[in-house]
Amino acid sequence: MSVDESRMRIGTSGIFRDVNPPMATLSKIIILGFVLAGVFAPDAVGSFFSGVQSWINANLSWYYILSIAIFIFFVFGLIFSRYGSIRLGKDDDRPEFSTFTWFSMLFGAGMGIGLLFWSVAEPMYHVQNAPFLEPGTENSMAGAVMAMQVTFLHWGLHGWAVYVIVGMALAYFAYRKDLPLTIRASLYPILGDRIYGFWGHLADLLAIFGTVFGVATTLGLGAGQIQAGLNHLFGVPMDPWIKYVLIMIISAIATLSAVSGVGKGIKILSETNMWLSIFMIVVFILVGPTVFVLGFFITNVGEYIVNVIPMGLWVNPDPSSGWQGAWTVFYWGWWIAWAPFVGMFIARVSRGRTIREFAVGVLIVPTLITFFWMSVFGGTALWQEFMQGGGIIEAVNADIARPLFLIIDNFGLGFFGNILSFMALILIITYFVTSSDSGTLVVTTLISMGKEEPPVSYRIFWGFGEGAVAAVLLASGGLQALQTASLAAGLPFSVIMFLMMWGLMKSLAQEPVGQRHAVSAAPPSAEPAE
């Protein structure tokens, strides 16, 4: 199989130069239509999202739980399969980026602001109320391990397996089979040349939809935490309009980074994120409850290994309970909504790695880093709350964006504490920018049918477009609208993911595994489905 240049219909002049006209037009209409609806009818948009969330939680929670479970078993199957030695590229391709830079970029794009936002807040919520807590352990150190187990479930192997599937399929078909770096390419073994028509456009538009709303959710959450940090350090008021201004400012910075490309702005920001993250973790370990958080990490990894399968397959039998919809189902939708842009970004920086190296690197290493981060930050919050009366639960319940800065204050470091809070704020901003610029680059790559350097004008439009969507979601429903947007965007793309797995396995089955070979440029022998 190879790129059919004549059927990609890339414009050669005018506003459609270097992009596919139908994709460019339809994607803009959808997003502009949503933004205008949010501006002129915010209440209607808010009601719509509320209805969507209620319907999904009532009828499709089982589907999200089952889908994510299938994804993770599929990834482990590939790791231990005979296809693990196949390269995501030609047989003589080797990785473009160092291992450290690779981990920095995939971690920054794959986690970003959410890790800073939820590492403290989420375990503090679960220790108050979660279905897995033993009776009588609520709001106590006795429930701390289970609270962290639930947090690990939402940020561990299940989510990263989603990224592995999308990233691996994209890298395999783009760099080994010479197809465009688009979602549609992974459907070639099923659809054949029809990926260049309606069905291909639909797959990529669903990916754009998921990317924009997934990133917008992150931007909305991040803007709240940045505003809380500015209020904490400099007394900036908590007025709602400031949050919208922050979204536009950070979107502008992210757009500049996206215009510079992967090898410049995005690479530099990703490495900056990693070094700042390492510094923050070291400081928290040294000045916080060192022995407790290190032991807390080991304990929770062991408990996670024991409990991950039953917890991952649990579906709440109580239809009146909203916990699973508000937490687990929301997270699974968020991971899936992020999958197109994170998967494509990881694919772009993973050429030359083997399937096994890619799967282990993307699945295991970030999960362990995430668990350590959660144990340090979340463990410190739990320690301060139950051993020192730190008031973290009260702060979380009052304003979910503020507790990180309260924890730093509780260290009692004086002036150095202010510096640490300022560095935390910078880290939030750089993660914010990394998530936004990666999403912008992926959307424009899809519109330009896989070109690694999409037109600058489109990168600018979509950089600000993502910010506009985040602002509309905040205005029309706040956190609930942000959550529902990801949940709804993930639903149709989950179907695409099942098709991607099917297409990947059909193509891998034709690989002469076990010997060095040249990759044929001819289409697969299997006839495309009708």
Side-chain angles (χ1 to χ4, degrees):
M1 61 186 78
S2 59
V3 176
D4 188 344
E5 297 283 355
S6 65
R7 303 195 66 178
M8 290 174 62
R9 296 187 177 92
I10 299 296
T12 58
S13 62
I15 61 173
F16 296 124
R17 182 180 179 85
D18 293 330
V19 298
N20 179 274
M23 285 293 298
T25 303
L26 289 172
S27 59
K28 283 185 177 180
I29 290 174
I30 292 172
I31 296 303
L32 287 174
F34 173 81
V35 171
L36 292 174
V39 170
F40 294 105
D43 293 339
V45 172
S47 298
F48 169 77
F49 277 117
S50 178
V52 168
Q53 184 178 36
S54 298
W55 185 83
I56 289 177
N57 290 339
N59 298 283
L60 293 179
S61 291
W62 66 270
Y63 171 77
Y64 280 90
I65 301 298
L66 179 61
S67 297
I68 296 291
I70 292 172
F71 295 156
I72 195 170
F73 282 118
F74 178 83
V75 171
F76 273 105
L78 280 179
I79 290 174
F80 295 104
S81 74
R82 60 194 180 98
Y83 305 120
S85 59
I86 295 175
R87 288 199 177 274
L88 301 175
K90 303 301 186 287
D91 287 332
D92 55 356
D93 282 348
R94 292 298 180 268
E96 176 183 358
F97 299 100
S98 69
T99 300
F100 178 81
T101 299
W102 184 54
F103 283 142
S104 298
M105 289 195 286
L106 70 89
F107 190 76
M111 302 301 289
I113 201 82
L115 194 59
L116 282 161
F117 192 90
W118 292 111
S119 61
V120 172
E122 184 166 351
M124 303 311 295
Y125 270 116
H126 296 326
V127 80
Q128 299 176 74
N129 175 36
F132 305 103
L133 285 173
E134 293 290 334
T137 61
E138 301 89 348
N139 296 303
S140 70
M141 188 60 82
V145 171
M146 183 52 69
M148 191 58 67
Q149 287 299 293
V150 180
T151 306
F152 276 16
L153 172 69
H154 295 155
W155 291 90
L157 297 174
H158 289 75
W160 283 97
V162 175
Y163 293 167
V164 171
I165 291 171
V166 177
M168 182 186 298
L170 291 173
Y172 174 83
F173 284 104
Y175 302 132
R176 190 165 186 85
K177 299 300 183 181
D178 297 319
L179 285 164
L181 185 63
T182 58
I183 300 298
R184 71 181 71 205
S186 60
L187 307 182
Y188 190 93
I190 303 171
L191 299 176
D193 285 341
R194 281 176 292 170
I195 64 168
Y196 299 110
F198 170 79
W199 294 111
H201 292 339
L202 179 61
D204 283 345
L205 284 171
L206 289 175
I208 290 173
F209 181 76
T211 297
V212 170
F213 283 91
V215 172
T217 301
T218 300
L219 298 187
L221 296 174
Q225 199 169 29
I226 292 172
Q227 186 179 18
L230 291 172
N231 174 264
H232 179 80
L233 289 170
F234 307 111
V236 174
M238 295 297 291
D239 294 338
W241 67 268
I242 293 179
K243 196 175 296 183
Y244 304 134
V245 172
L246 287 172
I247 288 175
M248 289 300 106
I249 291 174
I250 301 301
S251 295
I253 298 172
T255 300
L256 291 174
S257 176
V259 168
S260 70
V262 174
K264 295 180 182 178
I266 294 177
K267 175 184 175 182
I268 294 170
L269 281 173
S270 297
E271 291 181 342
T272 301
N273 290 342
M274 186 60 75
W275 285 116
L276 281 175
S277 298
I278 292 172
F279 175 80
M280 291 289 295
I281 281 185
V282 170
V283 171
F284 265 64
I285 291 174
L286 293 178
V287 304
T290 307
V291 175
F292 172 78
V293 296
L294 294 178
F296 197 54
F297 168 67
I298 300 299
T299 298
N300 277 293
V301 169
E303 290 292 325
Y304 177 80
I305 292 172
V306 173
N307 296 320
V308 61
I309 294 178
M311 288 180 69
L313 292 174
W314 179 77
V315 177
N316 194 337
D318 181 5
S320 64
S321 172
W323 183 90
Q324 189 166 45
W327 287 102
T328 306
V329 176
F330 157 64
Y331 269 115
W332 292 170
W334 194 9
W335 284 98
I336 295 171
W338 264 47
F341 104 80
V342 176
M344 183 172 293
F345 182 78
I346 294 175
R348 286 194 62 176
V349 299
S350 301
R351 182 172 188 164
R353 299 186 185 275
T354 66
I355 284 178
R356 184 172 293 113
E357 179 186 10
F358 178 91
V360 171
V362 178
L363 183 69
I364 305 299
V365 176
T367 295
L368 289 175
I369 294 173
T370 300
F371 286 176
F372 188 66
W373 179 286
M374 291 284 188
S375 297
V376 171
F377 281 75
T380 299
L382 290 163
W383 173 272
Q384 289 187 359
E385 175 65 28
F386 298 121
M387 306 302 290
Q388 297 180 331
I392 310 299
I393 287 180
E394 182 182 355
V396 167
N397 293 340
D399 183 357
I400 196 173
R402 189 178 293 275
L404 175 62
F405 302 101
L406 175 59
I407 290 173
I408 295 174
D409 274 358
N410 289 341
F411 286 147
L413 299 176
F415 177 71
F416 183 72
N418 290 333
I419 294 177
L420 191 61
S421 291
F422 181 74
M423 294 190 69
L425 180 61
I426 296 300
L427 183 59
I428 292 167
I429 293 172
T430 55
Y431 270 125
F432 195 166
V433 171
T434 303
S435 297
S436 183
D437 61 14
S438 301
T440 298
L441 199 60
V442 166
V443 169
T444 51
T445 298
L446 289 170
I447 292 171
S448 61
M449 298 292 284
K451 285 185 175 291
E452 293 197 355
E453 293 297 331
V456 170
S457 60
Y458 279 81
R459 286 186 245 182
I460 294 172
F461 172 86
W462 284 100
F464 285 102
E466 290 165 359
V469 170
V472 166
L473 288 172
L474 282 173
S476 50
L479 180 60
Q480 182 181 10
L482 292 170
Q483 291 178 322
T484 308
S486 286
L487 192 63
L491 181 59
F493 193 75
S494 65
V495 178
I496 299 296
M497 285 190 62
F498 281 109
L499 295 175
M500 294 176 81
M501 290 192 295
W502 180 16
L504 181 62
M505 291 310 299
K506 286 190 69 173
S507 190
L508 287 176
Q510 299 174 42
E511 293 273 3
V513 179
Q515 57 179 306
R516 188 177 178 83
H517 60 282
V519 181
S520 171
S525 58
E527 293 182 1
E530 294 296 331

